[in-house]
Amino acid sequence: MQSRTLEILVGFFVCLGVAAIFLLTFRVASLDTVGTGSNNYRITAKFDTIGGLAIGASVRMAGVKIGRVKGISIDPTSFQAVTTLEIDGRQSNIPEDSTAKILTSGLLGEQYVGLEPGGDDKTLRNGDEIKFTQSAFVLENLIGQFLTSMTQKDNNQGSSQPQNAAQPAPTPAPKSK
Amino acid sequence: MKLGQIVGDFLRGLGEATLFLFTMIAALPAALLRPRLVIQQLYMIGMLSLIIIAISGSFIGMVLALQGYRTLAQFGAASALGVVVAFGVIRELGPVVTALLFAGRAGSSLAAEIGLMKATDQLSGMEMMAVDPIKRVIAPRFLAGIIAMPLLASIFSLMAIGVAGGHLVGVVALGVDDGSYWSQIHSGLHPHDIFESLIKSLVFGVAVSWIALYQGYHAAPNSEGVSRATTSTVVVSSLVVLALDFVLTAFMFR
């Protein structure tokens, strides 16, 4: 084979491979859509619990991604979780009294931080803290509360409806209505 | 054959192969000085493996999408198909299947070529002319194998996820939404995953090329030796790739 043809073919192969690597990195894995603009600023928010929130999770406002979670640590005095949020520099007018919530996309989806804008004229600046937060929804706690309330209701009503076959039948026999 | 002899042979082979690896690495700068030889080998190893890699990638992506869809649809989570295919391909199947195909397609031909060179006294002839066969023959092939493997694995992954594999079956045939296919991949995968996939394929490239060249270079100089070298290249490198894959996965994806 002519050496020129061979070199062209090898060049084609290498180009294809490098293009594949770039496509995988940028198109498939998508480096941050927030961008690494120098205007980006960081704010913090404290939560009682962050559930399954992970570093790199998105920060959304009205469903639109405007930043991401940059760091997660624990406050040594209050034992709350401190999250550092990096916000796109283009969103520089978020009111200071905005609320940060940890939400879940879909029933089983990933967790993200949702920002709900407040009405204050002052805006959040680099290093500010969001005062109003709502912690992650922990399913176990909810189930625990549900069970507790069920038990209380059961006790209040004096187990009047022992129709559940799974529970051992209480002493008073089911009265037919 | 006695057990002691088997163990002794195994250890001797392992030591020989390790020394051979060091000799090859020492000869790599010499290969860089002769880029023509490396380019020629890149053609033989990389370019000629392109078709089989691309086609296998497409089919692996298709079958992953098909199988994943059935399970995911039971939970009403068919829109997560993209991330299932992408994770499977990027983390595991891309590097591993490419390395297995690479061992079968390129490794066997390397071993047979070198073994035949040895059997027909070409390597001794070079030595006689004061040409180091390690620098002239082995090192360019080793370097080409190391360069080609990550490129091939990336092409494989791209074919499997996007171009013709998972996307074709998932979006075009099964009707998963195009936007959610890609957005799930975007939110699920980090550039970190791609990097680790590249590291994996690089390690596999070193391992397969090393085994193939070692088997060829130390083959018995007759037709039986060449055939044995070719077979054991494929067998040993497949096993080594799978074992290395476990070790690398344990290290990388905690």
Side-chain angles (χ1 to χ4, degrees), chain A residues 76-110:
Chain A
T77 48
S78 68
F79 300 114
Q80 281 181 311
V82 182
T83 57
T84 310
L85 315 176
E86 184 170 318
I87 309 290
D88 192 339
R90 283 171 293 181
Q91 265 72 43
S92 59
N93 55 350
I94 301 173
E96 205 172 36
D97 60 346
S98 300
T99 311
K101 294 178 175 179
I102 294 180
L103 302 169
T104 311
S105 58
L107 194 58
L108 301 167
E110 49 165 2

Side-chain angles (χ1 to χ4, degrees), chain B residues 239-250:
Chain B
L239 290 178
V240 167
V241 161
L242 294 173
L244 272 179
D245 180 50
F246 173 72
V247 175
L248 288 175
T249 308

